[in-house]
Amino acid sequence: MASPTSTNPAHAHFESFLQAQLCQDVLSSFQGLCGALGLEPGGGLSQYHKVKAQLNYWSAKSLWAKLDKRASQPVYQQGRACTGTKCLVVGAGPCGLRAAVELAMLGARVVLVEKRTKFSRHNVLHLWPFTIHDLRALGAKKFYGRFCTGSLDHISIRQLQLLLLKVALLLGVEIHWGITFTGLQPPPKKGSGWRAQLQPSPPAQLAKYEFDVLISAAGGKFVPEGFTVREMRGKLAIGITANFVNGRTVEETQVPEISGVARIYNQSFFQSLLKATGIDLENIVYYKDDTHYFVMTAKKQCLLRLGVLRQDWPDTERLLGSANVVPEALQRFARAAADFATHGKLGKLEFAQDAHGRPDVSAFDFTSMMRAESSARVQERHGTHLLLGLVGDCLVEPFWPLGTGVARGFLAAFDAAWMVKRWAEGAGPLEVLAERESLYQLLSQTSPENMHRNVAQYGLDPATRYPNLNLRAVTPNQVRDLYDVEAKEPVKKMSDKTDSGKPATGAAGSQEELLRWCQEQTAGYPGVHVTDLSSSWADGLALCALVHRLRPALLEPSDLQGMGALEATSWALKMAEHELGITPVLSAQAMVAGSDPLGLIAYLSHFHSAFKNIPHNPGSVSQGSPGTASAVLFLGKLQRTLQRTRTQDLLQENGEDAGGKKPRLEEEAETPSTEEPPVPEPDESMTPPSQQQDASAEDLCAICGQRLYILERLCADGHFFHRSCFRCHICEATLWPGGYKQHPGDGYFYCLQHLPQTGHKEDGSERGPESQDLLMPSENDMPSGPATPIALHQGTSPVPGPSQPTRRLIRLSSPERQRLSSLHLTPDPEVEPPPKPPRSCSALARQALEASFKGWGMPVQSPQVLEAMEKGEEENSSSSEEETEEEEDVPLDSDMEQFLRNLAKNSGTMNNYPTWRRTLLRRAKEEEMKRFCKAQAIQRRLNEIEAALRELEARGTELELALRSQSSSPEKQKALWVEQLLQLVQKKNSLVAEEAELMIT
């Protein structure tokens, strides 16, 4: 082994290159290395071979071995797969650099332009297992010795950029700094190539560079012309990131990290935080890297109350760069939250500086999701083709604590490089685009649990990464609009793509199909003659017949004789909601009067979409039918059970006889369903509801009094609301059956967590402190919040609230318990089932978790274990690179698991087993992160559903306005609008059902 003090200038430059921590230092040391070896930087893959051949240095050999092992994979064809292909990569973020590395290994000439001149992003990325393995295979440990040491599974963005930059330079990528890409310059004539428009004036060689592949990794703020990017917004969520100076003192190293804690898993901590500081959070993460990095999700009302936001701005506005943020208040907020989370053990927290020399703390609205509709395009001018691909933020949802941004970003980089390889092999433009879009459909669904388990096999080929891969999911005919050809005749649109003005085949959008289905279901009932979707339903008999067809045990057809229209309609609406999960969109009065024909069509379409695949046999629909909205149905029954329980408790407290005879309407509404419900008595089941309702009740929101359109209607307790109005008065969360209550005192609606207790002074922790100070002396000093009641426009008496602050058991009947146990849910592909416990014993895993989350509502760990953890970290950091890098989890058999279970009883004995301790800590941390990821994934999906519902409501309102106002429009146009409206109703019903399933999950 040569001496580290070698006098060879190339060796010195190489050591400086390895250790450089600033972007300019990396570039200057690499230029010095190339100069000492007599080479020019940016010479492609051949440059790498020349550097390796001439730099016979012991410190470089382990790096060459790793890069050679990666480049030897058959997919790269020894660096000749893309020979002759010239690529331009825009953006030196992690995704852009990773794509450049793959393209260079394929043998392409790669030029990268970046508008910045330094890396300054301190935010820390959580790494999925495959990203850790991938970066290790590129020599990450050689460039950054602390990379994933011990139980660490994260890295700061700037450190990730630095190590990828060094790999890219070694592989011959030509990099230009301080250059902004502004657009494309098409070839002026046949035989010429595509160029880039760059600012400021680029070097002559770069200005004349002609390329046939453009990879844009400049983020969502810049997308090449031709790509369509849509913004999806969900329920407002404000994220706050803060980076504090890491002095790397002994005290700082002993403070445990917080891999991710969500409110749903540890409410006691967040309530303590609220009491102590007035800060109301949904979750928080703390990582140590170059800085002490914190990221948290704060509630809007809390930020307003503490002066972090200047005013109550609409949820539709974006917070990024907004003048609504008060910088000084934001700094106090972040410092107080960080100090509380670490129990003040980090000492005086000083903010690190961002790229502009300001405190590195920011607030942003991270529910504004920008997503490109396609990931690639092909343009052709004068016979010269240009392949354009996207990677980075515009394809994936970047959220640093979960690692989804960088992990899916790397996957997108691999997919883009695979696309370039297929392009270089001579595949046709439409074939290349179809394969790329097929892969793009998988990207948003990926997670560590649903990809191939063997991360060591991951490579450029998508089959090594994605299970059940189908590269023909999208056909070439479906991507013709992504092929931009300059021709005399425009390219024909895809023939197999459904026209936007016509409903898809088989959809519940056709009025004729809906009418035909209703006629089939109601055929044979006496007095029922369905000839249309309006007047035939005015007497209520047709709707009763439809409900009876789907649930015959509810009544006998003879019971319908002599019933009034309003009575029959009211009964059918109630039974459809309580027993079939079909929530009403119009009142019984409106159905009888025929005043809302569009609402009736939308309501009947819900029956059709839920039960159209049920065989046409009497009594064929059972309570376990897959056609019913099981989750919606269960939540509705749960809400009614809760209301019945609370009412009984209040009556008992007031000394009344809760077991006495109830009004017949209440008794009927509370009767639980069974597999074979008994035939109801005529004098009970047919009792009509109160006829005091307004005939136009569904046209006005019961809270705000504003107009309600069909797609906006949310029905609860017999009243109609806007979804945006039906929220908790405290936390503004959307309310769901089984989880809300109207307070009898102030008339507001609350979720159960924030429901003020009847007869007790409202706890400050429930309503939130109103003081402008962060540190609260006592919750008793908190003034009560505003109590302006929001009374329902309907004259209904509020349901009594609970009289005791303690939680009470939910009283479910036997059929309801059976229904819950047999409830079949279909989870979203992005929401994974709860992870199984690690193979190591659960008690030992819990012990490691307790050590990592000291003070978070868990028992305090002994000082010996903390000292042992710290000692282990020091051992890891000082151990050799090869030993740390190759260390893998040792599989545990049953005997070893029992042995560790015995060790867990005495934490001190773990000092003698540092390898097992490190393995267990890593596994415990992974399990905690999985739970956090699951909670976040569910919340993100709920936000996406909320955004989709808002979009559907907006489109539905436009269609309904057009139908109600354009009386002179042709009948064909009106029919088309109605069918489009029914398609939107069907989509809404599907989203609402999925939302209910996620709520139960």
Side-chain angles (χ1 to χ4, degrees), residues 986-1000:
Q986 183 182 17
K987 292 179 181 178
K988 177 187 176 181
N989 293 338
S990 176
L991 290 173
V992 169
E994 181 186 359
E995 188 177 30
E997 292 173 358
L998 291 176
M999 295 298 295
I1000 295 178

Side-chain angles (χ1 to χ4, degrees), residues 625-882:
S625 170
T628 59
S630 301
V632 177
L633 179 60
F634 173 76
L635 287 179
K637 285 186 172 294
L638 178 62
Q639 173 66 19
R640 292 187 292 275
T641 302
L642 288 172
Q643 289 181 346
R644 181 172 65 247
T645 302
R646 293 172 189 142
T647 302
Q648 292 173 351
D649 291 343
L650 186 62
L651 291 175
Q652 291 175 355
E653 180 181 306
N654 295 335
E656 299 180 11
D657 183 11
K661 188 174 180 179
K662 303 175 184 178
R664 288 174 294 180
L665 172 60
E666 180 182 354
E667 183 171 326
E668 175 217 308
E670 294 173 1
T671 302
S673 62
T674 62
E675 289 299 323
E676 293 296 334
V679 179
E681 296 295 332
D683 62 337
E684 292 185 357
S685 61
M686 302 306 167
T687 302
S690 172
Q691 302 184 12
Q692 301 298 323
Q693 294 181 328
D694 184 4
S696 59
E698 69 281 1
D699 289 338
L700 300 178
C701 175
I703 292 181
C704 69
Q706 300 299 315
R707 177 65 184 267
L708 268 175
Y709 294 94
I710 293 174
L711 267 294
E712 296 178 326
R713 295 174 188 173
L714 185 150
C715 183
D717 297 334
H719 303 284
F720 294 90
F721 310 89
H722 291 103
R723 285 179 60 90
S724 58
C725 293
F726 197 57
R727 297 179 182 273
C728 174
H729 180 58
I730 295 295
C731 65
E732 297 185 342
T734 301
L735 299 176
W736 261 97
Y740 74 89
K741 179 71 172 59
Q742 185 185 14
H743 191 265
D746 58 21
Y748 288 116
F749 286 93
Y750 297 89
C751 65
L752 298 184
Q753 180 181 353
H754 296 108
L755 178 65
Q757 304 303 325
T758 305
H760 292 76
K761 183 177 180 180
E762 295 179 4
D763 189 356
S765 63
E766 299 289 344
R767 297 296 300 268
E770 299 294 333
S771 171
Q772 297 296 326
D773 298 330
L774 284 176
L775 298 178
M776 307 302 301
S778 169
E779 71 175 85
N780 295 329
D781 298 333
M782 304 173 188
S784 60
T788 304
I790 302 179
L792 292 175
H793 287 260
Q794 305 294 334
T796 59
S797 59
V799 182
S803 59
Q804 299 183 14
T806 58
R807 294 185 177 181
R808 305 185 63 85
L809 293 176
I810 299 174
R811 299 170 182 168
L812 295 178
S813 62
S814 297
E816 288 172 330
R817 287 195 297 269
Q818 184 179 2
R819 177 76 61 83
L820 177 59
S821 64
S822 62
L823 188 62
H824 175 71
L825 300 179
T826 305
D828 184 81
E830 202 167 326
V831 180
E832 292 301 312
K836 297 180 179 179
R839 294 187 61 188
S840 56
C841 60
S842 59
L844 196 54
R846 178 174 179 82
Q847 179 188 6
L849 284 176
E850 291 174 357
S852 300
F853 291 87
K854 178 182 176 182
W856 288 70
M858 293 186 174
V860 177
Q861 188 54 273
S862 63
Q864 290 81 0
V865 174
L866 294 178
E867 293 174 3
M869 292 169 57
E870 178 58 29
K871 182 179 178 182
E873 291 183 3
E874 294 174 358
E875 291 174 357
N876 288 335
S877 61
S878 61
S879 60
S880 64
E881 171 193 336
E882 290 75 18

Side-chain angles (χ1 to χ4, degrees), residues 357-636:
R358 298 173 299 200
D360 195 350
V361 56
S362 62
F364 57 96
D365 177 5
F366 66 84
T367 52
S368 175
M369 296 168 283
M370 308 296 294
R371 183 173 173 84
E373 293 187 350
S374 61
S375 60
R377 296 185 64 87
V378 172
Q379 295 187 15
E380 180 185 345
R381 297 294 185 271
H382 299 292
T384 303
H385 291 82
L386 175 67
L387 177 64
L388 299 95
L390 299 179
V391 298
D393 292 356
C394 53
L395 292 188
V396 298
E397 185 181 316
F399 190 57
W400 308 289
L402 301 186
T404 52
V406 66
R408 293 176 182 168
F410 276 22
L411 293 175
F414 297 154
D415 295 341
W418 175 261
M419 173 185 68
V420 176
K421 178 180 182 294
R422 296 282 291 126
W423 180 260
E425 291 173 347
L430 293 179
E431 182 181 357
V432 171
L433 291 173
E435 283 191 6
R436 181 66 187 95
E437 293 308 302
S438 297
L439 292 172
Y440 184 37
Q441 290 185 348
L442 298 176
L443 188 61
S444 64
Q445 305 173 17
T446 55
S447 69
E449 288 75 29
N450 63 13
M451 299 180 64
H452 280 311
R453 299 297 183 183
N454 186 8
V455 297
Q457 75 173 6
Y458 281 28
L460 196 62
D461 189 341
T464 63
R465 295 175 272 120
Y466 304 114
N468 305 319
L469 177 66
N470 180 13
L471 291 176
R472 293 182 175 85
V474 177
T475 65
N477 205 36
Q478 291 177 297
V479 294
R480 287 186 177 274
D481 58 335
L482 304 180
Y483 187 16
D484 182 9
V485 183
E486 185 183 51
K488 294 181 180 179
E489 297 182 1
V491 178
K492 295 182 179 180
K493 296 295 182 181
M494 63 197 88
S495 59
D496 59 347
K497 186 174 182 180
T498 303
D499 184 76
S500 60
K502 299 179 180 180
T505 303
S510 171
Q511 294 185 69
E512 292 77 10
E513 180 184 357
L514 176 60
L515 177 59
R516 184 168 56 253
W517 181 83
C518 291
Q519 289 172 338
E520 293 174 354
Q521 297 298 318
T522 58
Y525 284 88
V528 177
H529 304 284
V530 176
T531 59
D532 54 32
L533 297 175
S534 55
S535 59
S536 297
W537 303 83
D539 58 3
L541 298 181
L543 186 59
C544 288
L546 180 58
V547 173
H548 179 268
R549 176 74 70 181
L550 301 174
R551 190 63 56 81
L554 292 179
L555 84 164
E556 292 295 334
S558 59
D559 295 334
L560 299 176
Q561 301 298 327
M563 290 183 65
L566 185 59
E567 182 182 6
T569 304
S570 300
W571 178 89
L573 287 173
K574 184 181 302 179
M575 289 299 104
E577 180 180 9
H578 291 186
E579 303 299 332
L580 299 177
I582 306 295
T583 56
V585 295
L586 76 168
S587 65
Q589 289 82 357
M591 183 176 291
V592 172
S595 59
D596 191 5
L598 289 178
L600 176 59
I601 294 176
Y603 181 61
L604 294 176
S605 70
H606 197 172
F607 283 89
H608 177 261
S609 61
F611 300 104
K612 62 182 178 181
N613 296 324
I614 302 300
H616 181 56
N617 295 319
S620 61
V621 180
S622 64
Q623 291 189 3
S625 170
T628 59
S630 301
V632 177
L633 179 60
F634 173 76
L635 287 179

